[in-house]
Amino acid sequence: MTTDPRLRGIAAELDAGLIARREFLRKSAILTGGTAAGLAVLRGMASAQPKTKLRVWLFKSYVTGGNDILAKHVEAWAKERNVEPEFDWATFGDREQKFVAAIEAGNPPDVAEMNYQGPMRYKAALRDETKLAKDLAAARGGLLPYAARVVQFNGQYFGIARLAFGGGLHVRKDVLAEKGLKLPKVYDPDVIEVAKKCQDPSKDIWGFGQTLNRCDDGNGFMQNILWDYGGGAWDKDGKPALATSNLKANMAALQFAVDTIQKHKIQPPGVMGWNDASNNEAYMAGKLVSTNNGASLYYAMGAKKHPLFEKTQVILTPGGPAGSFVFAGAYNWGVFQKSRYHELAEDMIRWVEDEKRFEEYMKACSGQAGPVYKSRAEHPYWKSDPNYEGMLQNIMRSVWPGYPGPISPAAIEVQAQYMLCDMAGRMVTAGLSLEAALKEAHGRVEEVYKIRGGK
Amino acid sequence: MATVAQLPVERARAPRPRAGLRRRLGADWHLGYLFVLPMAIMVIALVAYPFCYAAYLSLTRKYVGVPPVFVGFENYVRLAYDGFFRRAVWNSFVFTFASVGVKLVLGMVMALVLTSRIRYSLFTGLLLIPWVAPTVVSALNFLWIFDASLGVLNYLLVKVFRILPQGVGWLSEAGTAMASVIFVNVWRGFPFFGISFLAGLKAIPGELYEAASVDGANIVQRFRHVTLPSLRNIIIVVMLLSTIWTFNDFAIVYILTKGGPGGATQVLPVFTYEMAFGAQRLGEAIAVALYMLPALAMVIIVLSRYMRRSHAR
């Protein structure tokens, strides 16, 4: 133990009889008291120093339990590092708008949770985080292929993969059991047959609920169904192929999508006016036998103790003649170039991506926090509920926008402008022929491809 | 005091127009510039500069986070050939003129009813609610009302009054979707017409109506020859404002249909928004916005000329 040399000095003076005992006590009291007071002042000054502020943008998903856990993790990190986090939450409806405004104003956050569009669209404003992304991936068995496509371009990582939204076909297993029907595996004929046998239009109960309208649900379905039939908007080289090399397959896929409404009549009358929330509401109101949706629907039913929670089976999204494809909804972290605290931002990412913390988050998300790393796909959590198994399998076979070509700005823009939904919408509501709708959409896709410089 | 006939002579005698202006402004005319300066700075900073910069950006290829590249009129030319843009232009005119037309009629009816024997201030207050309520709240309510499966409108039509055998997809068919967004715009906007006309009606001297009655004019003739001419300027101003507001209305269409289904209700403000934040082609988005200017300018010029002419009479 060290002693103050001044105390040692007066102790020596006392021993030598140079000062009286009372004088020793007085001096030692002044010394120790003064030191303690000084330390207290210094401590006060240190705590009065302004903390570093880190601007963190998080995504506010419908799975509110997960949002709370993520915020808790960031707050715990901030406390540990003596940082003041400035949270801002972006939703499905305002995320891209906020990014555009902040980047153009030269005032982006330090770190943000982005969706699959982020790394490609904002890479001019994002830091190259290759080292961190590779470190995290290496420690987790590597990135799953679809996630690797979304976050890195030409070997540079502009996003650090975090999770993928799980989901699948939500089916009323009680209704199917009552009718003695098996779960559908492909859209045609399984989904059509199941829907026709289970629905009762006179009671406003419909077999299948899947909008083709301008929203993320419509976009995802249209993209998937084109792939399921062996088509798609792009070819292997990333060139537009709606009405060229993929024409035949796309015709079959588009015809099927429109037929679910017009010919088979397995969808509710107003389905072309739906938005992303409409099928959730209709399903929870008992108006649908099956609908494609993210895990948020399953979560919402569980959180509300909805009677349909126990009666719902989430299964693999049905496929078509060419297989079953699912559009990847990979989420990731982006660190912005303008950030003065990129090292702190990277430290925060390491903290929240820690496996124990991610596990806590994943368990609160009811299947929505799907794996982007190989080791996370093997977590026993995915076997804890039969419905999670379907969600996991959907994620494992995800493909990226632009598939089978590379992910590209043009492919992202075609998604963002709902061009595939418009293609179906023009057939259903404007009476365009199959060929005319495909040709019109192809023209739009080609225009975007040209504007984006053939990329 | 100079008569009207003398004025041209005075102008001809003036040695220099500037000197004449100074004489009229007085000896301390320099102060005038000083007083105008703050407003001029504000107009330049808040209106002229952003407008000019926007006009410049519309001539560039501008993506998020990267500097703009000058491309001349390429954006405007491309848009002219874009079928979805042309449809948005057409839809904007349909949406605007149908809405303003119906609001004009309903507003007039509202004003006439409120000036007739039914002078209940309660009704005036109630009829103002749509105008006072925030647009987003109104639009979200109508989104629920129009919902084909769970909406109250179909419930009333099918289950309660049994008028229809099956619900209508109000927002899922091209025709009904456009009618629905127009309806919401009318619902929200007609009280403005009504309250403005009501103010105008109260300013019309009662003697005019009495004189017309003495001359044997019936109620329709009194409306046509007394009420309408007296309200002419108010009607023009209200229509002018409403045309501009409706043409630029974004919230109602975006919330109800997002321009769908299949672009059937796509209007220029929503198209601009999607170009900016969906496509993230900022130069083209501004070009779309600036495409609206000539149409709006035309409306303003026509209506204000008409108003000046009626003043001259």
Side-chain angles (χ1 to χ4, degrees):
Chain A
M1 199 176 94
T2 56
T3 315
D4 189 320
R6 289 169 300 175
L7 276 177
R8 275 207 303 271
I10 54 172
E13 285 176 18
L14 178 69
D15 289 342
L18 296 173
I19 56 171
R21 186 180 166 82
R22 182 173 291 178
E23 181 67 6
F24 168 78
L25 287 172
R26 192 180 66 82
K27 281 187 173 174
S28 60
I30 289 168
L31 272 175
T32 50
T35 306
L39 283 172
V41 169
L42 282 173
R43 202 164 37 241
M45 284 169 70
S47 61
Q49 287 284 322
K51 285 180 180 176
T52 303
K53 278 187 183 170
L54 195 78
R55 291 176 62 213
V56 183
W57 282 14
L58 301 177
F59 174 62
K60 191 169 214 155
S61 85
Y62 296 131
V63 179
T64 52
N67 300 340
D68 296 342
I69 298 283
L70 179 57
K72 188 187 85 175
H73 287 164
V74 175
E75 276 164 358
W77 167 82
K79 196 175 176 189
E80 181 75 19
R81 300 291 193 266
N82 198 30
V83 171
E84 189 181 332
E86 251 185 31
F87 286 114
D88 203 342
W89 295 87
T91 64
F92 279 114
D94 66 2
R95 178 180 45 211
E96 307 311 317
Q97 294 85 323
K98 288 178 90 162
F99 278 127
V100 171
I103 292 168
E104 282 302 305
N107 189 29
D110 293 292
V111 57
E113 198 181 7
M114 307 185 295
N115 77 345
Y116 69 93
Q117 298 180 2
M120 173 58 76
R121 301 199 110 174
Y122 310 125
K123 63 176 187 271
L126 289 167
R127 275 179 63 84
D128 177 354
E129 289 289 349
T130 303
K131 188 179 180 312
L132 175 60
K134 281 188 170 174
D135 284 355
L136 287 175
R140 289 157 183 77
L143 278 167
L144 291 170
Y146 78 88
R149 289 283 191 140
V150 170
V151 293
Q152 60 98 21
F153 311 102
N154 302 322
Q156 284 181 295
Y157 287 71
F158 293 98
I160 296 129
R162 172 163 170 74
L163 58 88
F165 271 22
L169 187 73
H170 290 58
V171 185
R172 285 282 300 275
K173 61 183 177 189
D174 59 321
V175 177
L176 267 68
E178 198 179 291
K179 304 272 179 187
L181 297 167
K182 286 182 184 171
L183 292 165
K185 286 187 175 167
V186 290
Y187 280 114
D188 192 5
D190 295 4
V191 170
I192 295 169
E193 282 180 3
V194 166
K196 280 182 176 173
K197 285 176 182 167
C198 294
Q199 71 181 16
D200 185 351
S202 66
K203 291 181 182 166
D204 201 19
I205 295 170
W206 300 88
F208 185 49
Q210 174 60 66
T211 188
L212 314 179
N213 196 18
R214 301 165 65 91
C215 59
D216 288 347
D217 282 357
N219 241 349
F221 176 76
M222 282 310 300
Q223 183 61 83
N224 294 350
I225 202 76
L226 295 182
W227 285 328
D228 290 346
Y229 277 77
W234 308 96
D235 67 12
K236 281 181 184 168
D237 301 321
K239 289 182 181 155
L242 263 180
T244 52
S245 55
N246 288 341
L247 177 64
K248 205 176 160 190
N250 288 339
M251 281 176 76
L254 181 57
Q255 187 66 61
F256 169 78
V258 172
D259 280 351
T260 59
I261 298 170
Q262 293 182 333
K263 184 182 164 190
H264 303 304
K265 299 191 188 303
I266 54 173
Q267 299 225 49
V271 72
M272 280 306 292
W274 279 7
N275 57 30
D276 285 323
S278 304
N279 66 324
N280 300 29
E281 290 164 0
Y283 186 85
M284 288 168 81
K287 305 251 175 206
L288 298 176
V289 178
S290 66
T291 188
N292 283 310
N293 207 73
S296 59
L297 174 55
Y298 189 61
Y299 169 83
M301 289 192 292
K304 290 175 183 169
K305 297 188 171 35
H306 194 282
L308 291 183
F309 179 69
E310 296 294 337
K311 296 173 181 172
T312 296
Q313 177 85 51
V314 185
I315 59 169
L316 286 170
T317 306
S324 180
F325 293 84
V326 180
F327 183 82
Y331 276 68
N332 53 89
W333 294 107
V335 180
F336 284 84
Q337 287 173 12
K338 292 241 175 192
S339 171
R340 287 190 296 151
Y341 310 111
H342 63 87
E343 283 168 352
L344 273 176
E346 288 163 4
D347 186 49
M348 189 207 84
I349 294 167
R350 283 181 195 277
W351 177 280
V352 294
E353 290 305 319
D354 168 78
E355 287 309 280
K356 278 200 171 168
R357 292 190 189 97
F358 188 82
E359 185 184 32
E360 186 190 1
Y361 174 81
M362 180 172 67
K363 285 178 176 172
C365 283
S366 200
Q368 186 170 269
V372 284
Y373 300 111
K374 288 175 184 166
S375 66
R376 287 185 184 169
E378 287 152 16
H379 196 285
Y381 167 78
W382 294 104
K383 296 195 185 305
S384 64
D385 180 336
N387 291 328
Y388 294 164
E389 182 68 23
M391 295 181 195
L392 175 69
Q393 290 310 315
N394 262 336
I395 291 166
M396 297 301 280
R397 62 186 182 176
S398 295
V399 291
W400 51 92
Y403 176 85
I407 186 170
S408 65
I412 299 275
E413 189 181 324
V414 166
Q415 288 291 122
Q417 286 218 62
Y418 305 113
M419 287 184 183
L420 302 179
C421 299
D422 284 341
M423 177 173 73
R426 296 277 289 154
M427 262 188 89
V428 177
T429 63
L432 251 64
S433 69
L434 190 60
E435 292 84 355
L438 269 163
K439 202 177 160 192
E440 183 183 79
H442 182 84
R444 293 181 77 194
V445 173
E446 207 159 41
E447 190 66 25
V448 170
Y449 180 73
K450 278 185 205 158
I451 290 167
R452 294 286 180 177
K455 285 184 271 183
Chain B
M1 200 176 103
T3 63
V4 175
Q6 283 172 319
L7 280 174
V9 181
E10 274 186 19
R11 254 188 233 123
R13 278 178 195 162
R16 280 180 302 161
R18 195 168 170 78
L21 187 68
R22 280 179 193 174
R23 197 167 55 243
R24 284 182 195 176
L25 289 172
D28 54 354
W29 63 274
H30 287 97
L31 270 177
Y33 287 107
L34 196 67
F35 291 142
V36 170
L37 193 63
M39 186 52 72
I41 290 171
M42 276 180 69
V43 169
I44 289 168
L46 300 176
V47 180
Y49 170 72
F51 179 80
C52 292
Y53 186 60
Y56 161 70
L57 278 182
S58 76
L59 303 173
T60 66
R61 186 178 301 128
K62 172 78 180 90
Y63 299 138
V64 177
V66 291
V69 177
F70 188 77
V71 293
F73 286 94
E74 191 186 303
N75 292 333
Y76 290 94
V77 173
R78 185 184 297 121
L79 282 169
Y81 289 99
D82 184 333
F84 268 69
F85 170 73
R86 289 206 299 265
R87 200 171 308 123
V89 172
W90 172 250
N91 287 341
S92 288
F93 280 103
V94 170
F95 176 68
T96 303
F97 291 121
S99 299
V100 173
V102 179
K103 280 187 277 192
L104 177 68
V105 174
L106 281 182
M108 187 61 79
V109 171
M110 173 185 159
L112 290 172
V113 168
L114 291 174
T115 45
S116 66
R117 285 171 194 168
I118 311 165
R119 288 169 191 263
Y120 299 123
S121 56
L122 175 69
F123 287 144
T124 317
L126 284 176
L127 285 166
L128 269 178
I129 287 175
W131 175 252
V132 176
T135 313
V136 173
V137 175
S138 306
L140 285 170
N141 276 322
F142 275 101
L143 184 65
W144 168 68
I145 289 168
F146 287 136
D147 190 294
S149 301
L150 307 169
V152 72
L153 184 57
N154 275 346
Y155 179 79
L156 290 173
L157 293 172
V158 178
K159 299 260 171 74
V160 179
F161 299 115
R162 298 181 188 279
I163 296 168
L164 296 174
Q166 198 180 11
V168 176
W170 296 106
L171 302 174
S172 62
E173 301 287 335
T176 51
M178 181 53 96
S180 300
V181 293
I182 289 171
F183 175 82
V184 178
N185 186 280
V186 168
W187 179 84
R188 183 171 155 61
F190 87 91
F192 171 69
F193 280 68
I195 214 76
S196 305
F197 295 161
L198 187 62
L201 283 173
K202 287 190 171 172
I204 300 173
E207 292 85 353
L208 290 178
Y209 289 105
E210 285 167 20
S213 297
V214 168
D215 288 346
N218 61 26
I219 190 163
V220 176
Q221 285 167 325
R222 287 202 299 273
F223 175 73
R224 194 178 154 199
H225 297 292
V226 178
T227 309
L228 275 185
S230 305
L231 285 180
R232 183 184 288 133
N233 287 340
I234 292 177
I235 292 172
I236 290 169
V237 170
V238 167
M239 277 183 68
L240 181 67
L241 286 174
S242 182
T243 303
I244 295 167
W245 291 337
T246 310
F247 209 82
N248 290 322
D249 193 348
F250 166 79
I252 288 172
V253 176
Y254 189 76
I255 290 171
L256 286 176
T257 64
K258 266 192 178 174
T265 56
Q266 184 69 283
V267 289
L268 286 170
V270 177
F271 193 85
T272 305
Y273 179 84
E274 284 197 351
M275 195 57 82
F277 298 111
Q280 299 194 352
R281 286 188 248 143
L282 303 181
E284 243 174 291
I286 296 167
V288 174
L290 292 182
Y291 251 116
M292 298 184 214
L293 270 185
L296 285 176
M298 193 74 79
V299 171
I300 292 166
I301 289 166
V302 168
L303 286 175
S304 44
R305 274 193 178 176
Y306 188 74
M307 194 160 74
R308 275 207 301 272
R309 214 164 48 211
S310 62
H311 263 302
R313 278 193 215 128

